[in-house]
Amino acid sequence: MQSSLPLTIDRTAGLPLHLQLAEQFRAAVLDGRLQAGHRLPSTRDLARELTVSRSVTQAAYDQLHAEGWIEGRTGAGTYVTDVVPLQPAVRRHVEPRPDAGTELLTLRPGIPYIAPAPDPGWRRAWREVSTQSPPRGYDDAAGLPALRAALADHVGRVRGIACGPENVLVTNGTVHGLRLLLTVTRAPGDRIAIEDPGYLNAVVAARDHRLDIVDVGVDQDGLLVGELTDDLAAVYVTPSHQYPLGGRLPVARRNELVRWARRTGSLLIEDDYDSEFRYDVAPLPALAQLDLERVVHLGTLSKTLSPALRLGWLVASEAMVERLAAFRADSGDWPGWPMQAALLAMLRDGYLDQAVRRGRRLYADRRTHTCAVLSPYGRVVGQDAGLHITLLLPDGVDDLRIAREARAAGVVVAPLSEYRRTVPGPPGLVIGYATPSTSDLHKALTILTEVLSRR
């Protein structure tokens, strides 16, 4: 049935009648068939024309009036408002990213191997969560109390940090913890030292908080503590496995760094990167073990389980944790209950420890193979720990060009120059060996060596 307005009723359609009318009315305004100021029939007259109940036309008018398409003028009826049609956005054609395809093999660092099927420990954890009811209200801004207690036990056992649940705050991962820390403790213009080459996400976080970044060099043992100046408010450091060159900060240099922080009042931000996976000796105790008043320790599940979980922890003094939790209580920015409850189940069940042990065995073999294949093409560093090695190339080699050619041949690899800012150093490739399957790793290394042989 059609009316004097460009409106049609289709009783066989699945859409309610009043929504059909409203939808057609909007289209008529947008394409110019109905102009601003056009007087509309009354709901009674329109209902009669369309042979529908008046409640249908009244509901359609109510909807259009609420959205601002029509207006009622006292004693004069209902009119179309002056709605300026919005021009459709011009959609820019974006070529699909090549690395989204299955044809590319990735040797990017920092991502663990994820088996195609979940293992029993993962399934057990989520079954346990599924039997629980969620909290009645908002949970604790610092994290589930039971999880904080379990994490305190975990970092005490595996990282040597003497702490309790009052020292632990659950985060969405390392970068989330870092950004929270910078938001609460730092002011624009504060000077922060970051390793160079180093973790680019830490640099971006510092820039976003308008901090003055001081690039500090590293050697085979990690951060050069002697280059720190007394005007620094904070130092971001990866002492367990310097990212990306792989140095391990020795005890003497750790002590020197903590003494410097005590003297200057600076905050040490310890990114415990790759501490779980060492292939030569047991991991060194965390920097936070030396002084929890001066050090904030950041841990994550990204390397042990998956970066997609977006879950980690921050260990600090009780006063610092209270300060951070108070801020989060206002911002509402903390991990959701289901993932926290699942991690608690994984810790209690021993699943996290099992995943680390399994990973050490798998990655140790892959590391050995990767080093053997690539050592003829440069100097391999950082092979004693973690999920990647760095291949230092001869001076004059363009590592960006090597990375482009490898990508064109089907392999994604990170050039070392991506991690450098102001401190000079040799070119190289940062090569992750954890992500692909064992067979894909062999394929990727074969392709990469073919590219390197042409340099």
Side-chain angles (χ1 to χ4, degrees):
M1 179 67 66
Q2 188 165 357
S3 77
S4 56
L5 293 177
L7 303 174
T8 302
I9 288 292
D10 182 1
R11 297 183 186 276
T12 64
L15 193 65
L17 301 184
H18 74 284
L19 294 182
Q20 289 186 39
L21 297 180
E23 185 177 278
Q24 294 174 54
F25 183 93
R26 297 186 201 98
V29 173
L30 292 175
D31 65 19
R33 287 176 291 156
L34 285 178
Q35 302 290 327
H38 185 103
R39 190 174 188 275
L40 301 178
S42 67
T43 56
R44 188 185 305 276
D45 290 343
L46 183 59
R48 186 181 306 115
E49 288 186 40
L50 295 172
T51 58
V52 296
S53 70
R54 187 182 176 191
S55 63
V56 171
T57 55
Q58 185 65 57
Y61 274 27
D62 288 346
Q63 180 69 35
L64 294 167
H65 184 273
E67 295 177 8
W69 295 92
I70 62 177
E71 62 181 353
R73 300 176 186 174
T74 303
T78 304
Y79 293 81
V80 178
T81 57
D82 187 9
V83 179
V84 178
L86 182 66
Q87 295 300 317
V90 177
R91 298 190 64 182
R92 182 172 60 90
H93 177 67
V94 179
E95 293 293 334
R97 294 179 62 179
D99 55 347
T102 56
E103 72 279 1
L104 277 183
L105 303 170
T106 182
L107 295 178
R108 297 286 297 193
I111 304 174
Y113 174 70
I114 308 296
D119 63 30
W122 175 264
R123 293 195 296 269
R124 281 196 305 271
W126 285 103
R127 277 199 302 269
E128 182 175 326
V129 174
S130 70
T131 64
Q132 305 173 39
S133 297
R136 290 172 180 255
Y138 292 104
D139 47 358
D140 194 317
L144 294 180
L147 176 58
R148 295 169 66 194
L151 284 170
D153 177 72
H154 175 75
V155 298
R157 178 168 50 83
V158 304
R159 303 300 295 122
I161 305 174
C163 66
E166 69 278 3
N167 300 113
V168 177
L169 182 135
V170 184
T171 70
N172 284 328
T174 297
V175 175
H176 178 251
L178 173 63
R179 285 182 172 272
L180 174 65
L181 189 64
L182 296 182
T183 298
V184 173
T185 67
R186 302 274 67 88
D190 281 355
R191 290 165 63 79
I192 181 171
I194 299 180
E195 299 160 329
D196 185 5
Y199 187 37
L200 295 184
N201 284 346
V203 176
V204 172
R207 285 175 180 163
D208 287 347
H209 286 80
R210 294 182 290 165
L211 304 184
D212 184 7
I213 299 172
V214 178
D215 299 323
V216 178
V218 300
D219 62 11
Q220 68 276 8
D221 289 326
L223 179 75
L224 295 170
V225 178
E227 294 187 0
L228 300 177
T229 57
D230 290 356
D231 59 347
L232 293 168
V235 177
Y236 174 88
V237 60
T238 53
S240 296
H241 189 223
Q242 197 279 326
Y243 187 74
L245 295 183
R248 179 179 60 174
L249 204 64
V251 171
R253 202 176 290 188
R254 290 173 185 237
N255 292 340
E256 180 187 1
L257 179 58
V258 171
R259 282 195 297 268
W260 171 87
R262 289 173 176 172
R263 179 174 58 80
T264 61
S266 180
L267 180 69
L268 301 180
I269 305 171
E270 176 186 28
D271 179 349
D272 203 32
Y273 182 79
D274 273 352
S275 66
E276 304 90 346
F277 302 112
R278 289 213 67 88
Y279 310 114
D280 52 353
V281 295
L284 281 177
L287 191 65
Q289 182 202 40
L290 301 176
D291 192 336
L292 206 53
E293 294 296 319
R294 294 257 55 90
V295 181
V296 174
H297 174 94
L298 300 175
T300 180
L301 292 179
S302 294
K303 308 301 180 292
T304 51
L305 297 181
S306 168
L309 299 182
R310 313 310 304 157
L311 202 64
W313 51 88
L314 178 153
V315 184
S317 68
E318 183 176 358
M320 178 66 78
V321 169
E322 289 178 351
R323 188 177 173 189
L324 298 174
F327 174 83
R328 288 214 311 199
D330 293 331
S331 68
D333 180 22
W334 63 82
W337 169 80
M339 193 61 245
Q340 291 193 60
L343 175 55
L344 176 59
M346 293 176 197
L347 287 166
R348 287 175 172 171
D349 188 40
Y351 171 65
L352 185 59
D353 291 337
Q354 293 169 11
V356 170
R357 289 194 296 269
R358 185 168 57 244
R360 283 180 186 147
R361 292 191 296 269
L362 173 66
Y363 302 143
D365 291 341
R366 292 185 176 192
R367 174 209 60 159
T368 300
H369 177 72
T370 302
C371 291
V373 170
L374 295 178
S375 57
Y377 301 93
R379 182 164 67 92
V380 175
V381 298
Q383 67 268 38
D384 294 332
L387 308 182
H388 75 270
I389 58 98
T390 298
L391 179 68
L392 299 181
L393 300 170
D395 290 339
V397 174
D398 185 349
D399 56 11
L400 287 170
R401 179 182 60 80
I402 295 291
R404 286 195 299 268
E405 291 182 3
R407 187 184 186 87
V411 175
V412 180
V413 65
L416 180 58
S417 56
E418 282 186 352
Y419 300 85
R420 295 194 185 279
R421 300 182 301 279
T422 62
V423 179
L429 299 174
V430 184
I431 300 163
Y433 46 75
T435 309
S437 66
T438 301
S439 60
D440 282 348
L441 175 64
H442 288 201
K443 293 177 189 175
L445 291 174
T446 299
I447 293 171
L448 182 58
T449 54
E450 291 172 355
V451 173
L452 286 168
S453 67
R454 298 195 300 265
R455 69 171 189 262

Coordinates of all heavy atoms in Angstrom, one line a residue, residues 198-249:
G198 N 66.8 0.0 21.5 CA 66.0 -0.5 22.6 C 64.5 -0.7 22.1 O 64.3 -0.6 20.9
Y199 N 63.7 -0.9 23.0 CA 62.3 -1.2 22.8 C 61.5 0.0 22.3 O 61.3 1.0 23.1 CB 61.7 -1.8 24.1 CG 60.3 -2.3 23.9 CD1 59.9 -3.0 22.8 CD2 59.4 -2.2 25.0 CE1 58.6 -3.6 22.7 CE2 58.1 -2.7 24.9 CZ 57.7 -3.4 23.8 OH 56.4 -3.9 23.7
L200 N 61.0 0.0 21.1 CA 60.4 1.2 20.5 C 59.1 1.6 21.2 O 58.8 2.7 21.2 CB 60.2 1.0 19.0 CG 61.5 0.8 18.2 CD1 61.1 0.7 16.7 CD2 62.5 2.0 18.4
N201 N 58.4 0.6 21.7 CA 57.1 0.9 22.3 C 57.4 1.7 23.6 O 56.5 2.5 24.0 CB 56.3 -0.3 22.7 CG 55.7 -0.9 21.4 OD1 55.6 -0.2 20.4 ND2 55.2 -2.1 21.5
A202 N 58.5 1.5 24.3 CA 58.8 2.3 25.4 C 59.1 3.7 25.0 O 58.7 4.7 25.7 CB 60.0 1.7 26.2
V203 N 59.8 3.9 23.9 CA 60.1 5.2 23.4 C 58.8 6.0 23.1 O 58.6 7.1 23.4 CB 61.0 5.1 22.2 CG1 61.2 6.5 21.6 CG2 62.3 4.5 22.5
V204 N 57.9 5.3 22.4 CA 56.6 5.9 22.0 C 55.8 6.3 23.3 O 55.2 7.4 23.3 CB 55.8 4.9 21.2 CG1 54.4 5.4 20.9 CG2 56.5 4.7 19.8
A205 N 55.8 5.4 24.3 CA 55.1 5.7 25.5 C 55.7 7.0 26.2 O 55.0 7.9 26.7 CB 55.2 4.6 26.5
A206 N 57.0 7.1 26.2 CA 57.7 8.3 26.8 C 57.3 9.5 26.0 O 57.1 10.6 26.6 CB 59.2 8.0 26.9
R207 N 57.4 9.4 24.7 CA 57.0 10.6 23.9 C 55.6 11.0 24.1 O 55.3 12.2 24.1 CB 57.3 10.2 22.4 CG 58.7 10.2 22.0 CD 58.9 9.8 20.6 NE 60.3 9.7 20.2 CZ 60.8 9.1 19.1 NH1 59.9 8.4 18.3 NH2 62.0 9.1 18.8
D208 N 54.7 10.0 24.2 CA 53.3 10.4 24.4 C 53.0 11.1 25.7 O 52.1 11.9 25.8 CB 52.4 9.1 24.3 CG 52.3 8.5 23.0 OD1 52.6 9.2 22.0 OD2 51.8 7.3 22.8
H209 N 53.9 10.8 26.7 CA 53.8 11.5 27.9 C 54.7 12.8 28.0 O 54.9 13.4 29.1 CB 54.2 10.6 29.1 CG 53.1 9.6 29.4 ND1 53.0 8.4 28.6 CD2 52.2 9.5 30.3 CE1 52.0 7.7 29.1 NE2 51.5 8.3 30.1
R210 N 55.2 13.2 26.8 CA 56.0 14.4 26.7 C 57.2 14.4 27.6 O 57.5 15.4 28.2 CB 55.1 15.6 26.9 CG 54.0 15.8 25.8 CD 53.2 17.0 26.0 NE 52.3 16.9 27.2 CZ 51.8 18.0 27.7 NH1 51.9 19.2 27.3 NH2 51.0 17.8 28.8
L211 N 57.8 13.3 27.7 CA 59.1 13.2 28.5 C 60.3 13.5 27.6 O 60.2 13.3 26.4 CB 59.2 11.8 29.1 CG 58.1 11.4 30.0 CD1 58.4 10.0 30.6 CD2 57.8 12.4 31.1
D212 N 61.3 13.9 28.2 CA 62.6 14.2 27.5 C 63.4 12.9 27.5 O 63.9 12.5 28.5 CB 63.3 15.3 28.2 CG 64.6 15.7 27.4 OD1 64.8 15.2 26.3 OD2 65.4 16.5 27.9
I213 N 63.5 12.3 26.3 CA 64.2 11.0 26.2 C 65.7 11.2 26.0 O 66.1 11.9 25.2 CB 63.6 10.2 25.0 CG1 62.1 10.0 25.2 CG2 64.3 8.9 24.9 CD1 61.4 9.4 24.0
V214 N 66.4 10.4 26.8 CA 67.9 10.4 26.8 C 68.3 9.0 26.3 O 68.0 8.1 27.0 CB 68.5 10.8 28.1 CG1 70.0 10.7 28.0 CG2 68.1 12.1 28.6
D215 N 68.9 9.0 25.1 CA 69.4 7.7 24.6 C 70.7 7.3 25.2 O 71.7 8.1 25.2 CB 69.5 7.8 23.1 CG 68.2 8.2 22.4 OD1 67.2 7.7 22.8 OD2 68.3 8.9 21.4
V216 N 70.7 6.1 25.8 CA 71.9 5.6 26.5 C 72.3 4.3 25.8 O 71.5 3.4 25.5 CB 71.6 5.3 28.0 CG1 72.9 4.8 28.6 CG2 71.2 6.6 28.7
G217 N 73.6 4.2 25.5 CA 74.1 3.1 24.7 C 74.2 1.8 25.6 O 74.1 1.8 26.8
V218 N 74.4 0.7 24.9 CA 74.5 -0.6 25.5 C 75.8 -1.3 24.9 O 76.2 -0.9 23.8 CB 73.3 -1.5 25.3 CG1 72.0 -0.8 25.8 CG2 73.1 -1.8 23.8
D219 N 76.3 -2.3 25.6 CA 77.3 -3.1 25.1 C 76.9 -4.6 25.3 O 75.7 -4.9 25.5 CB 78.7 -2.8 25.8 CG 78.7 -3.1 27.3 OD1 77.7 -3.7 27.8 OD2 79.6 -2.7 28.0
Q220 N 77.9 -5.5 25.2 CA 77.5 -6.9 25.3 C 76.9 -7.3 26.6 O 76.3 -8.4 26.7 CB 78.7 -7.8 25.0 CG 79.8 -7.7 26.0 CD 80.8 -6.6 25.9 OE1 80.6 -5.7 25.0 NE2 81.8 -6.6 26.7
D221 N 77.0 -6.5 27.6 CA 76.5 -6.7 28.9 C 75.2 -5.9 29.2 O 74.7 -6.0 30.3 CB 77.5 -6.5 30.0 CG 78.6 -7.5 30.0 OD1 78.3 -8.7 29.7 OD2 79.8 -7.2 30.3
G222 N 74.7 -5.1 28.3 CA 73.5 -4.4 28.5 C 73.8 -2.9 28.7 O 74.8 -2.3 28.2
L223 N 72.9 -2.2 29.5 CA 73.0 -0.8 29.7 C 74.3 -0.3 30.2 O 74.9 -0.9 31.2 CB 71.9 -0.4 30.7 CG 71.8 1.1 31.0 CD1 71.1 1.9 29.8 CD2 70.9 1.3 32.3
L224 N 74.8 0.8 29.6 CA 76.1 1.4 30.1 C 75.7 2.4 31.2 O 75.4 3.6 31.0 CB 76.8 2.2 28.9 CG 77.2 1.2 27.8 CD1 77.7 2.1 26.6 CD2 78.4 0.3 28.3
V225 N 75.8 1.9 32.4 CA 75.3 2.7 33.6 C 76.2 3.9 33.8 O 75.7 5.0 34.2 CB 75.4 1.8 34.9 CG1 75.0 2.6 36.1 CG2 74.5 0.6 34.7
G226 N 77.4 3.8 33.4 CA 78.3 5.0 33.6 C 77.9 6.2 32.7 O 78.4 7.3 33.0
E227 N 77.0 6.0 31.7 CA 76.6 7.1 30.9 C 75.4 7.9 31.5 O 74.9 8.9 30.9 CB 76.3 6.6 29.5 CG 77.5 6.1 28.7 CD 77.2 5.8 27.3 OE1 76.0 6.0 26.9 OE2 78.1 5.3 26.6
L228 N 74.8 7.4 32.6 CA 73.6 8.0 33.2 C 74.0 9.3 33.9 O 75.0 9.4 34.6 CB 73.0 7.1 34.2 CG 72.5 5.7 33.6 CD1 71.9 4.9 34.7 CD2 71.4 6.0 32.5
T229 N 73.2 10.3 33.7 CA 73.5 11.6 34.3 C 72.5 11.8 35.5 O 71.5 11.2 35.6 CB 73.3 12.8 33.3 OG1 71.9 12.7 32.8 CG2 74.3 12.7 32.2
D230 N 72.9 12.7 36.4 CA 72.2 12.8 37.7 C 70.9 13.5 37.6 O 70.1 13.6 38.5 CB 73.1 13.5 38.7 CG 74.2 12.7 39.2 OD1 74.3 11.5 38.8 OD2 75.1 13.2 40.0
D231 N 70.6 14.1 36.4 CA 69.3 14.8 36.2 C 68.2 14.0 35.7 O 67.1 14.5 35.4 CB 69.5 16.0 35.3 CG 70.0 15.6 33.9 OD1 70.4 14.5 33.8 OD2 70.0 16.5 33.0
L232 N 68.4 12.7 35.6 CA 67.4 11.8 35.1 C 66.3 11.5 36.2 O 66.6 11.2 37.3 CB 68.0 10.5 34.6 CG 68.9 10.6 33.4 CD1 69.7 9.3 33.2 CD2 68.1 10.9 32.1
A233 N 65.0 11.5 35.7 CA 64.0 11.2 36.7 C 63.7 9.7 36.7 O 63.1 9.1 37.6 CB 62.7 11.9 36.3
A234 N 64.0 9.0 35.6 CA 63.7 7.6 35.5 C 64.6 6.9 34.4 O 65.2 7.6 33.5 CB 62.2 7.3 35.1
V235 N 64.8 5.6 34.6 CA 65.6 4.8 33.6 C 64.7 3.6 33.3 O 64.3 2.9 34.1 CB 66.9 4.4 34.2 CG1 67.7 3.5 33.2 CG2 67.8 5.6 34.6
Y236 N 64.5 3.4 32.0 CA 63.9 2.1 31.5 C 65.0 1.2 31.0 O 65.8 1.5 30.2 CB 62.9 2.5 30.3 CG 62.3 1.3 29.7 CD1 61.1 0.8 30.2 CD2 62.9 0.7 28.6 CE1 60.5 -0.3 29.6 CE2 62.3 -0.4 28.0 CZ 61.1 -0.9 28.5 OH 60.5 -2.0 27.9
V237 N 64.9 0.0 31.6 CA 66.0 -1.0 31.3 C 65.5 -2.4 31.2 O 64.5 -2.8 31.8 CB 67.1 -0.9 32.5 CG1 66.4 -1.2 33.8 CG2 68.3 -1.7 32.2
T238 N 66.2 -3.2 30.3 CA 65.8 -4.6 30.1 C 67.0 -5.4 30.6 O 67.8 -5.9 29.8 CB 65.5 -4.9 28.7 OG1 66.5 -4.4 27.8 CG2 64.2 -4.2 28.3
P239 N 67.2 -5.6 31.9 CA 68.4 -6.2 32.4 C 68.6 -7.7 32.2 O 69.7 -8.3 32.1 CB 68.4 -5.9 33.9 CG 66.9 -5.8 34.2 CD 66.3 -5.2 33.0
S240 N 67.5 -8.4 32.0 CA 67.5 -9.9 31.9 C 68.0 -10.4 30.5 O 68.7 -11.4 30.4 CB 66.2 -10.5 32.2 OG 65.8 -10.3 33.6
H241 N 67.6 -9.6 29.5 CA 67.9 -9.9 28.1 C 67.7 -8.7 27.3 O 66.6 -8.4 26.8 CB 67.0 -11.1 27.6 CG 67.5 -11.6 26.3 ND1 66.6 -11.9 25.3 CD2 68.7 -11.9 25.8 CE1 67.2 -12.4 24.2 NE2 68.5 -12.4 24.5
Q242 N 68.8 -7.8 27.2 CA 68.6 -6.5 26.6 C 68.0 -6.6 25.3 O 68.4 -7.4 24.4 CB 70.0 -5.8 26.5 CG 69.9 -4.3 26.3 CD 69.7 -3.9 24.9 OE1 70.1 -4.6 23.9 NE2 68.9 -2.8 24.7
Y243 N 67.0 -5.8 25.1 CA 66.2 -5.9 23.8 C 66.7 -4.7 22.9 O 66.5 -3.5 23.3 CB 64.7 -5.8 24.1 CG 63.9 -6.0 22.8 CD1 63.7 -7.3 22.3 CD2 63.3 -4.9 22.2 CE1 63.0 -7.5 21.2 CE2 62.5 -5.1 21.0 CZ 62.4 -6.4 20.5 OH 61.6 -6.6 19.4
P244 N 67.3 -5.0 21.7 CA 67.3 -6.3 21.0 C 68.6 -7.1 21.0 O 68.7 -8.1 20.4 CB 66.9 -5.9 19.6 CG 67.6 -4.6 19.4 CD 67.5 -3.9 20.8
L245 N 69.7 -6.5 21.6 CA 71.0 -7.1 21.4 C 71.3 -8.3 22.3 O 72.2 -9.0 22.1 CB 72.1 -6.0 21.6 CG 72.1 -4.9 20.6 CD1 73.3 -4.0 20.8 CD2 72.2 -5.5 19.2
G246 N 70.5 -8.4 23.4 CA 70.6 -9.7 24.2 C 71.5 -9.7 25.4 O 71.7 -10.8 26.0
G247 N 72.2 -8.6 25.7 CA 73.1 -8.6 26.9 C 72.4 -8.8 28.2 O 71.2 -8.5 28.3
R248 N 73.1 -9.4 29.1 CA 72.6 -9.7 30.4 C 73.3 -8.8 31.4 O 74.5 -9.0 31.6 CB 72.7 -11.2 30.8 CG 72.1 -11.5 32.2 CD 72.3 -12.9 32.5 NE 73.7 -13.4 32.5 CZ 74.0 -14.6 32.9 NH1 73.1 -15.5 33.3 NH2 75.3 -15.0 32.8
L249 N 72.6 -7.9 32.1 CA 73.3 -7.0 33.0 C 73.9 -7.7 34.2 O 73.2 -8.4 34.9 CB 72.3 -6.0 33.5 CG 72.8 -4.6 34.0 CD1 73.4 -3.8 32.8 CD2 71.7 -3.8 34.6

